[in-house]
Amino acid sequence: MSTSPRIAIDAMGGDEGLAVMLAGVARARRANDGMRFLLVGDEAQIREGLKTHPNLSAASEIVHAPETVAGAEKPSQAIRRAKTTSMGLAIQAVKSGEAGAAVSSGNTGALMAMSKLALRTMPGIDRPALAALLPSLGENDVVMLDLGANTECDTENLIQFAVMGAAYARSALELERPRVALLNIGTEELKGTDEIKDAAAMLREATHLPMNFTGFIEGDRLSRGEVDVIVCDGFSGNIALKTAEGTARFVTDLLRRAFTSSLRSKLGFIISRPAAELLRHHLDPNNHNGAVFLGLNGLVVKSHGGANEIGVANAIGVAARMVRDNLTARITEDLANFKAHQRPETHTA
Amino acid sequence: MSTSPRIAIDAMGGDEGLAVMLAGVARARRANDGMRFLLVGDEAQIREGLKTHPNLSAASEIVHAPETVAGAEKPSQAIRRAKTTSMGLAIQAVKSGEAGAAVSSGNTGALMAMSKLALRTMPGIDRPALAALLPSLGENDVVMLDLGANTECDTENLIQFAVMGAAYARSALELERPRVALLNIGTEELKGTDEIKDAAAMLREATHLPMNFTGFIEGDRLSRGEVDVIVCDGFSGNIALKTAEGTARFVTDLLRRAFTSSLRSKLGFIISRPAAELLRHHLDPNNHNGAVFLGLNGLVVKSHGGANEIGVANAIGVAARMVRDNLTARITEDLANFKAHQRPETHTA
């Protein structure tokens, strides 16, 4: 039974409330009994909640936070309450070294702003990125970044995202040499913006890094399982992620409409319910939970606001793997390697 | 029986060949017996093909084109063969006024390049845009533009796309005052690039135009039927369109996998086949066929490369409506209106 660094849990964040957060923590702990936690939030409520999770008490310490960041709160407001909110104090625990990572289901904008301010970007990284896991037809999920932390990105940003995304895929997906692609509007070398073309040219040269750069990928192939990491600017990444979510919902809505359109269809649907369940399971965001802010001096995982117990446990699992693999150090090392090997002629656009 | 301007058909373009193109033309003609056509391509082959479509002969004239643009041909190469290919001569017929619009299922890049070169952009339009119809949960399809004609777009481009998209929706969807939104990574006024924020500010003022500007829309709501026109730069539009296509395929692939996972599921699937057919019908690109190049001095419709007879007929229907509604004149009028009403303070960024 190894004792890994503790994970700080923003116990009050998210739409589902404290009980679901604690149930998720307890579930994560059942899967890995070396885990220890800092539960950050209202002490009395947490103490009460722990009564139903006897396996957690010995593994947890409570950090009292008198306030909670609201779901609709502006990041600029939330920042001012960093010393009193459960979210702020969970991030603080990462900064002070009391915890190896923080997990929150709370307000994404606030979490991003507070994390950036408290943890600062890593040496060699200009901007942090938000990375998430998407379902695919392949063996594993796909890492995609940036998903909206940055509206505009230059060539250097894209290269740094590729290095960070590959390090994250090695840890979260346990791949040795993840396949990395740049999101573009065509696969030919001449397609896309100058930033993307230049980033591709430089990544093609970076054969010494523990990744396999495969070139460009178009929006219609994101879920085919052909690559492990998809790199993009935050604007198109956000558009692609949300379009994929919306389209999956659109198709399942159409399906529901079609299946309830006649008695015969309803009967067929009831008989094939296990198949529909399989589909639902595969698309359920709880099974792909845990978006990560990469590029900070400390690990912060964003769990879906509406995550259930399984989703929270998955997000904690992502945090634990990153801590175990010392992701921040890996990224630093890969970046140093990339810079050391950069050939002078690839510096120019 | 009115005689509307003729539609030039690139009879040789597309993956499905001449027979499918002619079947699509014949189907369009059955739906509207006022239609007349210029069939552009190999004269002997067309003459042979017309034998099975007696309703077409009287309504058609053949324009012989000795060559065909290949599917993988570079636009720069295709341009040089504008005078000898079926695609080039179909566009030429629009330029000379012999036809009111051209329809091609051929190579998109070549069609766009040849159309731009032959027809030139309209006065007041800086760049043409590619617009298409997407399926939605609402009463009608949704117009989306630009889908990749322009990699980067400024504020003026986005405003012009909004005006053109609204005019197209009034014609293709037969709406009086289409709801228009800008694709963005959030719905708050502060979100997104400066180009998008400035375009939104100017469109909010344009209440005199025959459109209802509703603000920003995010990627997850494209198919909800809440707006009729979605405006975006060509990069994110292309990413969103392809991501939507890819995700729809991904979900239906998962569904197929799930439904064939057990005998019980297979049985359920067979019973509920009409429901699956309904879904397939709603998502079938042939039922939403007809992407349009807007902003040129002439109308050009791109039919899907793999369009079947129904798809080709739908693309021809789109072309016929645009001709009937004199779309180019409508756009010119709306643009003039927009400029006349522009308040001085909204001119600056």
Side-chain angles (χ1 to χ4, degrees):
Chain A
M1 194 175 109
S2 69
T3 52
S4 41
R6 292 185 292 192
I7 294 175
I9 308 289
D10 169 9
M12 317 304 285
D15 311 334
E16 303 301 317
L18 177 67
V20 166
M21 286 305 293
L22 289 182
V25 178
R27 176 184 271 265
R29 159 87 186 174
R30 281 198 297 277
N32 174 354
D33 65 4
M35 278 190 181
R36 292 177 309 138
F37 305 97
L38 278 184
L39 303 175
V40 190
D42 183 275
E43 184 166 1
Q45 285 183 50
I46 293 175
R47 225 170 264 296
E48 184 60 30
L50 280 180
K51 286 182 183 163
T52 48
H53 299 292
N55 74 325
L56 274 192
S57 298
S60 305
E61 195 177 309
I62 299 174
V63 175
H64 179 63
E67 298 184 312
T68 305
V69 172
E73 193 165 336
K74 284 196 181 146
S76 52
Q77 276 184 297
I79 282 175
R80 283 184 234 127
R81 304 199 294 135
K83 307 271 184 227
T84 52
T85 52
S86 55
M87 186 186 280
L89 290 171
I91 295 167
Q92 194 54 42
V94 174
K95 188 181 182 184
S96 67
E98 291 167 89
V103 175
S104 175
S105 301
N107 179 328
T108 311
L111 186 65
M112 194 143 54
M114 285 169 118
S115 301
K116 263 169 87 168
L117 196 69
L119 301 173
R120 306 276 165 191
T121 48
M122 293 171 53
I125 295 291
D126 299 315
R127 295 184 186 185
L130 183 61
L133 298 173
L134 313 183
S136 87
L137 290 176
E139 295 289 310
N140 51 259
D141 280 356
V142 177
V143 171
M144 190 157 161
L145 77 168
D146 174 32
L147 296 173
N150 309 284
T151 307
E152 281 159 297
C153 297
D154 64 19
T155 304
E156 278 297 321
N157 296 145
L158 291 171
I159 289 170
Q160 291 166 12
F161 296 171
V163 169
M164 297 196 291
Y168 178 56
R170 297 206 319 276
S171 174
L173 307 177
E174 309 196 317
L175 300 170
E176 269 187 42
R177 237 183 124 73
R179 298 160 297 173
V180 176
L182 282 163
L183 183 61
N184 201 353
I185 59 173
T187 51
E188 308 85 1
E189 284 191 28
L190 288 170
K191 287 277 182 175
T193 62
D194 289 341
E195 290 77 17
I196 292 175
K197 285 184 276 190
D198 292 346
M202 290 168 84
L203 286 169
R204 256 180 228 114
E205 304 279 330
T207 49
H208 54 287
L209 286 184
M211 66 162 91
N212 175 12
F213 178 67
T214 63
F216 297 135
I217 188 167
E218 292 187 75
D220 56 348
R221 310 211 59 84
L222 302 183
S223 320
R224 306 312 291 181
E226 294 159 1
V227 301
D228 306 303
V229 180
I230 296 165
V231 176
C232 49
D233 66 274
F235 192 89
S236 42
N238 184 289
I239 299 282
L241 176 73
K242 288 189 178 152
T243 300
E245 286 173 358
T247 308
R249 193 159 7 101
F250 170 62
V251 176
T252 48
D253 283 357
L254 282 182
L255 197 69
R256 191 171 307 119
R257 203 185 263 188
F259 272 123
T260 53
S261 62
S262 73
L263 197 63
R264 175 177 164 175
S265 300
K266 275 184 206 162
L267 178 68
F269 183 69
I270 289 166
I271 292 173
S272 53
R273 182 161 292 164
E277 282 301 308
L278 241 163
L279 177 71
R280 218 174 53 75
H281 179 82
H282 199 107
L283 292 178
D284 185 347
N286 284 300
N287 298 323
H288 315 274
N289 196 21
V292 184
F293 294 121
L294 295 174
L296 300 175
N297 293 305
L299 298 169
V300 178
V301 174
K302 168 70 175 80
S303 166
H304 278 280
N308 64 16
E309 174 187 331
I310 296 172
V312 172
N314 279 333
I316 294 172
V318 165
R321 275 197 294 280
M322 293 197 301
V323 171
R324 178 199 69 192
D325 295 340
N326 203 350
L327 192 73
T328 312
R330 274 203 188 188
I331 293 174
T332 309
E333 203 177 292
D334 289 351
L335 272 178
N337 253 331
F338 178 76
K339 294 208 167 138
H341 281 73
Q342 237 176 325
R343 281 169 26 180
E345 70 266 35
T346 62
H347 272 286
T348 53
Chain B
M1 192 176 109
S2 71
T3 52
S4 42
R6 291 185 295 193
I7 294 176
I9 307 289
D10 169 9
M12 316 305 284
D15 310 334
E16 303 301 317
L18 176 67
V20 166
M21 287 305 293
L22 288 182
V25 177
R27 176 183 270 264
R29 160 88 187 173
R30 281 197 299 276
N32 175 353
D33 65 5
M35 278 191 182
R36 293 177 309 138
F37 304 96
L38 278 183
L39 303 175
V40 189
D42 183 276
E43 185 167 1
Q45 286 183 49
I46 294 175
R47 225 169 263 296
E48 183 61 31
L50 281 179
K51 287 184 183 162
T52 49
H53 301 290
N55 74 325
L56 273 191
S57 297
S60 304
E61 195 177 309
I62 299 174
V63 175
H64 179 64
E67 298 184 312
T68 305
V69 172
E73 192 164 337
K74 285 197 180 144
S76 53
Q77 275 184 297
I79 281 176
R80 282 183 236 128
R81 304 198 295 136
K83 306 270 183 228
T84 51
T85 53
S86 55
M87 185 185 281
L89 290 171
I91 296 167
Q92 193 54 42
V94 176
K95 188 180 182 186
S96 68
E98 291 167 272
V103 175
S104 174
S105 301
N107 180 330
T108 310
L111 186 63
M112 195 145 53
M114 285 168 117
S115 301
K116 263 169 87 167
L117 196 69
L119 302 173
R120 305 277 165 189
T121 48
M122 293 171 53
I125 295 290
D126 299 316
R127 294 184 188 185
L130 183 61
L133 297 172
L134 312 183
S136 87
L137 289 176
E139 296 289 309
N140 51 260
D141 281 356
V142 177
V143 172
M144 190 159 163
L145 77 166
D146 174 31
L147 296 173
N150 308 284
T151 307
E152 280 157 300
C153 297
D154 64 19
T155 304
E156 278 298 322
N157 296 145
L158 291 171
I159 289 170
Q160 291 167 11
F161 295 170
V163 170
M164 296 195 293
Y168 178 55
R170 298 206 317 276
S171 173
L173 307 177
E174 308 196 316
L175 299 170
E176 268 188 42
R177 234 182 126 74
R179 299 160 297 173
V180 177
L182 282 163
L183 183 61
N184 201 352
I185 59 172
T187 52
E188 307 86 3
E189 285 193 26
L190 289 169
K191 288 277 182 175
T193 61
D194 289 341
E195 290 77 18
I196 293 176
K197 285 183 276 190
D198 293 345
M202 291 168 84
L203 286 169
R204 257 180 226 113
E205 305 278 330
T207 50
H208 55 285
L209 286 185
M211 65 162 93
N212 175 13
F213 179 66
T214 64
F216 297 135
I217 189 168
E218 293 187 75
D220 56 349
R221 311 210 60 84
L222 302 183
S223 320
R224 306 311 290 181
E226 295 158 1
V227 301
D228 306 304
V229 180
I230 296 165
V231 176
C232 49
D233 65 274
F235 191 90
S236 42
N238 184 287
I239 300 282
L241 176 74
K242 288 189 179 152
T243 300
E245 287 173 357
T247 307
R249 194 160 4 103
F250 170 62
V251 176
T252 47
D253 283 357
L254 281 181
L255 198 68
R256 190 171 307 118
R257 203 188 265 187
F259 273 123
T260 51
S261 61
S262 74
L263 198 61
R264 176 178 163 175
S265 301
K266 274 184 208 163
L267 178 67
F269 183 71
I270 290 166
I271 292 173
S272 52
R273 182 162 292 164
E277 282 301 307
L278 241 162
L279 177 71
R280 217 175 54 76
H281 179 81
H282 199 107
L283 291 178
D284 186 347
N286 284 301
N287 297 323
H288 316 273
N289 197 21
V292 184
F293 294 120
L294 296 173
L296 299 175
N297 293 306
L299 299 169
V300 178
V301 174
K302 168 69 176 80
S303 165
H304 279 280
N308 63 18
E309 173 186 331
I310 297 171
V312 172
N314 279 331
I316 293 171
V318 166
R321 276 197 295 280
M322 294 196 303
V323 171
R324 177 199 69 192
D325 296 339
N326 203 349
L327 193 73
T328 311
R330 276 203 188 189
I331 292 174
T332 307
E333 204 177 291
D334 289 351
L335 271 178
N337 254 330
F338 178 77
K339 293 206 168 138
H341 282 73
Q342 238 177 325
R343 282 166 29 176
E345 70 267 36
T346 62
H347 271 287
T348 55

